[in-house]
Amino acid sequence: MGRKILFVTTDQQRFDTLGCNGGTVARTPVVDALAAHGIRYERAVPQSVVCMPSRSTMLTGQSPSTHGVWMNGVALPETAPSVAEVLAAAGYRTAIIGKPHFEPFLDAFARFAENGFARAGTFGPHRGFEHFESATHGAAGPLHYARWLNATHPEAVDMYYPVLDSSLEVNAMGGGDNGAPQAWCNNIPREWYHTDWVADRTISWLDSLPVEDDWFCWMSFPDPHHPWDPPASEVGRIDWREVPLPAGYIEKATERERVLDAKPRHWRAWYDGRMVSNYEAPMHWVPATLTADQLREVTALNAVECELIDEAIGRVLAAIAARGQGDDVDIIFTTDHGELGGDFGLMFKGPYHVDALMRLPLIWRPAASAGIGGADITPATVTRPVGLIDLAPTFCKIAGLASAPWMEGKALPVSDADADERGFERVLTEWDSELFGVGVHLRTITRESWVCTTCLPGSAHDGTEGELYNLAEDPLQQANRWDDPQYATVRADLLADLWNHQSPSKLPLRSVEAPV
Amino acid sequence: MYGTIRHEIRIERPAGQVWELAGNASRLHEWFPGIIECTVDGNQRTIVTATGIPMPEEILACDDTQRRFQYRIVTPIFKHHRGTIDVIDLGDETCLVVYSTEADPRTMAMVIGGGTAAALQELKRQIEGATRQMKGTG
């Protein structure tokens, strides 16, 4: 028997929402314990800060330019390579349970396989997963969770926040105590909520396997992505009135706007409601209207969702231990991208390559049988930059397989010394979006203590703008050094390095099939 | 503001041949993936999507001279919709097929537009493939 792999992802979770990463609002003892006994990454960076491209990178081990999912709404081809196929071919039993999102959700013509399984009452196979059981942020749509809730608890369906408004735009409707967009009182019982459902279905699938089988299970929680509508019974865990404002939130509006004005123009344009570049944030919400109390409440609701995920992971780990496999399982926990979470007065996500969206929680707790505490791997904190692009080769390594030739990353380092030895120097991140005449295109390099973003020519930029932050001196990225002559050499060196390593985009770009 | 989406594809066959299929209102389901049924009664057309949803449409124009077909979806979710299929003769026994979608709410233009891109691919596949097969067997 080999090492089993439990790959846990959340959606849109900030680095600082975990206790092990310094978070103080949510209590996350389960994931914190994984970190204490494993490897905690301090600079894990996504290759895209939106779901579909980022999840496609996790599956394929390729950058968005290579796998071709250049923005949300672009489907990953069914013929795209998949690490799940590699593992399945090696004898692993494979499943994805929860949010997949390799294909668009808004699928009026039922063209995408991902949306068809629940409709047909089937569970895959798909993309190398022999079991494919899907959920997203509520009870709407064609996925398994929505079908289950509609069939078993129809009275709960409308308790969720309506993610889209009547125009199919991301809803700006406010709720909660302060009218924050996408904050909501959800009266659904906790045991019917999608977080617990994902854990339940994961346990059920694991229990269906013969104990001698090796398995790779991607458990993919839809939270803490907005809407922030955890079960009302759990909201009282955290009193939003006592929640501190995030460090990245600049309370004084004039100072906040001064910082925004030093960034490329799309920052201030969105803040003021003059330009909406992407579908992922409510079109009819103006960030400048965000109040401190709204932010406190959203932070509290988000933290409740993080706690529920932590507890759900704990239940799954207990079930694995009950199968006698606790020592044989490698557990990797991460998310697809971050959440602005009030930094710079903004929420949701978009073309903003700063820590809020780009610094991800990533933890690898190797199987005890692999040497945790022994000679091979010891608990560690890795500070060198790594990417989600490195996950697929890591799964292969755990399974004792060579990386597939189409994978572009490297198996995650287990220490800084390992990272240095194997050349973990830089991570690249891409943004491309074109939405009704607004085109934004960014390329970013994270290297040493620097994050450097160049804004390519498009409808929003003329190609001269960018961002340059020294993370060591300016951890909140409030001082943009892009135009500072003192840093011209650093900027030129980073950009040269970026273009030396940036994969070319596959042209023509693949069609946008839907908004998301 | 409306959302507008435009897709186009070059088909290596004469415009007249392509128009026979693309301009026939009752045959849309033959080349539009995700549309499984199509019935025409005068200027009213009803399509049924693969999700089982019937979608009533009004045919606005079917111009054999310009090779232009226009229609609008009349379900309440749309404040406005107009779909336009143009088959443009390129003068070298090939043609350009342009499928345009405008919609309010604008998001629906993206939802429908994604389908039209796939439809053009399928149209090209069928027409070029069919002719190849005919040549091969002839």
Side-chain angles (χ1 to χ4, degrees):
Chain A
M1 285 198 299
R3 291 155 68 179
K4 286 76 175 154
I5 304 169
L6 179 65
F7 178 37
V8 184
T9 57
T10 63
D11 194 347
Q12 200 156 318
Q13 183 169 6
R14 288 174 63 100
F15 177 84
D16 55 13
T17 55
L18 296 178
C20 59
N21 287 340
T24 58
V25 183
R27 290 156 298 187
T28 54
V30 174
V31 176
D32 295 349
L34 296 176
H37 295 92
I39 304 150
R40 187 177 66 87
Y41 297 85
E42 289 232 311
R43 185 56 62 183
V45 180
Q47 280 52 75
S48 167
V49 297
V50 291
C51 300
M52 292 180 69
S54 187
R55 288 161 185 272
S56 296
T57 289
M58 292 190 224
L59 186 70
T60 63
Q62 297 178 335
S63 67
S65 285
T66 302
H67 61 58
V69 183
W70 56 278
M71 67 177 276
N72 271 347
V74 176
L76 182 68
E78 289 196 35
T79 54
S82 160
V83 68
E85 285 178 353
V86 174
L87 295 169
Y92 270 72
R93 307 294 300 273
T94 55
I96 184 168
I97 297 165
K99 183 177 175 183
H101 211 186
F102 308 117
E103 297 154 37
F105 285 144
L106 290 179
D107 185 12
F109 301 105
R111 293 183 297 126
F112 301 110
E114 194 170 292
N115 303 320
F117 295 120
R119 196 178 288 122
T122 57
F123 299 88
H126 193 44
R127 300 188 183 279
F129 296 103
E130 65 177 72
H131 185 83
F132 190 98
E133 195 164 2
S134 54
T136 187
H137 309 292
L143 304 185
H144 291 95
Y145 171 71
R147 295 270 159 166
W148 171 80
L149 195 68
N150 276 273
T152 58
H153 309 292
E155 69 276 21
V157 169
D158 291 333
M159 294 176 183
Y160 277 102
Y161 180 87
V163 177
L164 304 180
D165 65 18
S166 60
S167 297
L168 296 185
E169 297 284 356
V170 174
N171 208 334
M173 180 174 64
D177 292 338
N178 295 286
Q182 301 247 339
W184 194 249
C185 178
N186 183 353
N187 289 314
I188 192 168
R190 175 181 175 172
E191 57 271 24
W192 301 348
Y193 190 64
H194 50 67
T195 295
D196 277 37
W197 182 87
V198 168
D200 291 343
R201 299 312 304 153
T202 299
I203 292 168
S204 175
W205 182 74
L206 291 172
D207 283 346
S208 74
L209 304 180
V211 75
E212 63 271 18
D213 284 0
D214 292 332
W215 48 264
F216 169 69
C217 182
W218 183 343
M219 179 167 66
S220 180
F221 294 103
D223 268 354
H225 187 291
H226 56 90
W228 297 290
D229 61 349
S233 61
E234 309 305 314
V235 169
R237 294 165 176 239
I238 299 169
D239 184 349
W240 65 261
R241 295 165 192 81
E242 297 175 2
V243 169
L245 288 167
Y249 177 70
I250 304 168
E251 285 194 70
K252 191 175 177 186
T254 52
E255 174 62 9
R256 187 189 315 143
E257 289 160 9
R258 185 194 66 75
V259 169
L260 287 168
D261 286 341
K263 296 177 183 295
R265 69 189 80 177
H266 65 283
W267 284 81
R268 182 66 192 266
W270 182 43
Y271 174 81
D272 287 337
R274 287 182 282 112
M275 185 186 86
V276 178
S277 64
N278 54 295
Y279 182 77
E280 290 78 18
M283 188 182 77
H284 298 296
W285 178 67
V286 177
T289 64
L290 178 68
T291 69
D293 280 350
Q294 286 179 334
L295 179 53
R296 283 191 180 90
E297 187 174 7
V298 165
T299 305
L301 293 170
N302 185 288
V304 170
E305 294 182 349
C306 292
E307 290 194 359
L308 296 180
I309 290 169
D310 196 73
E311 291 163 16
I313 296 170
R315 282 204 296 123
V316 173
L317 297 186
I320 292 170
R323 289 170 55 82
Q325 297 180 326
D327 288 345
D328 300 327
V329 180
D330 281 68
I331 303 161
I332 293 185
F333 173 93
T334 192
T335 191
D336 54 356
H337 53 78
E339 153 66 43
L340 280 161
D343 286 5
F344 314 103
L346 306 172
M347 294 200 306
F348 306 101
K349 60 185 178 285
Y352 311 99
H353 284 178
V354 290
D355 273 5
L357 298 183
M358 291 220 306
R359 189 183 190 191
L360 307 184
L362 174 61
I363 288 151
W364 176 13
R365 204 297 308 272
S369 57
I372 188 74
D376 295 326
I377 302 170
T378 55
T381 297
V382 171
T383 64
R384 306 296 190 263
V386 300
L388 298 184
I389 201 168
D390 299 319
L391 290 170
T394 305
F395 300 140
C396 289
K397 182 179 179 182
I398 292 168
L401 305 171
S403 292
W406 34 264
M407 294 178 184
E408 296 177 326
K410 297 174 284 194
L412 287 166
V414 297
S415 65
D416 274 347
D418 183 30
D420 291 343
E421 190 176 323
R422 293 197 289 125
F424 283 83
E425 295 176 35
R426 67 191 66 72
V427 179
L428 306 188
T429 305
E430 308 172 21
W431 174 281
D432 291 290
S433 61
E434 292 182 359
L435 183 73
F436 299 122
V438 179
V440 180
H441 307 278
L442 312 178
R443 295 292 181 271
T444 295
I445 182 169
T446 301
R447 195 188 75 184
E448 297 164 335
S449 64
W450 297 97
V451 175
C452 181
T453 296
T454 179
C455 304
L456 306 179
S459 68
H461 305 104
D462 61 8
T464 64
E465 293 172 89
E467 296 173 67
L468 178 63
Y469 303 109
N470 185 335
L471 298 171
E473 296 175 357
D474 176 27
L476 299 177
Q477 296 112 70
Q478 294 182 353
N480 182 10
R481 305 298 188 190
W482 177 263
D483 289 320
D484 187 335
Q486 189 183 338
Y487 296 93
T489 305
V490 172
R491 172 181 138 179
D493 180 50
L494 288 165
L495 289 176
D497 197 20
L498 164 64
W499 291 117
N500 274 340
H501 292 89
Q502 174 66 52
S503 302
S505 294
K506 279 184 182 169
L507 297 174
L509 294 176
R510 304 189 58 248
S511 288
V512 179
E513 306 275 5
V516 70
Chain B
M1 193 181 290
Y2 297 160
T4 67
I5 300 286
R6 185 188 65 222
H7 292 290
E8 62 276 331
I9 200 163
R10 184 171 185 168
I11 296 182
E12 305 279 332
R13 296 294 177 267
Q17 180 186 340
V18 174
W19 178 248
E20 281 181 25
L21 179 57
N24 188 329
S26 63
R27 297 181 65 188
L28 183 67
H29 63 295
E30 294 180 23
W31 57 279
F32 197 122
I35 294 178
I36 58 171
E37 197 177 307
C38 188
T39 53
V40 176
D41 181 8
N43 69 340
Q44 305 298 310
R45 180 169 73 172
T46 300
I47 59 131
V48 178
T49 69
T51 57
I53 298 172
M55 215 180 275
E57 299 173 337
E58 179 185 359
I59 297 170
L60 302 173
C62 187
D63 186 330
D64 289 332
T65 307
Q66 290 193 82
R67 298 192 184 98
R68 161 170 281 198
F69 181 82
Q70 285 189 305
Y71 66 103
R72 70 183 184 99
I73 302 171
V74 293
T75 51
I77 193 171
F78 288 94
K79 294 176 189 153
H80 169 82
H81 170 264
R82 179 167 298 181
T84 302
I85 302 167
D86 285 310
V87 179
I88 301 166
D89 189 349
L90 296 180
D92 58 356
E93 298 295 298
T94 74
C95 64
L96 186 71
V97 185
V98 183
Y99 203 146
S100 307
T101 305
E102 56 185 65
D104 179 9
R106 63 177 197 165
T107 306
M108 287 307 295
M110 296 180 79
V111 174
I112 301 293
T116 65
L120 289 179
Q121 292 287 346
E122 178 60 17
L123 182 68
K124 177 182 176 71
R125 190 192 68 78
Q126 284 190 20
I127 289 181
E128 293 184 353
T131 313
R132 256 187 227 112
Q133 194 175 37
M134 282 169 55
K135 282 179 179 171
T137 55

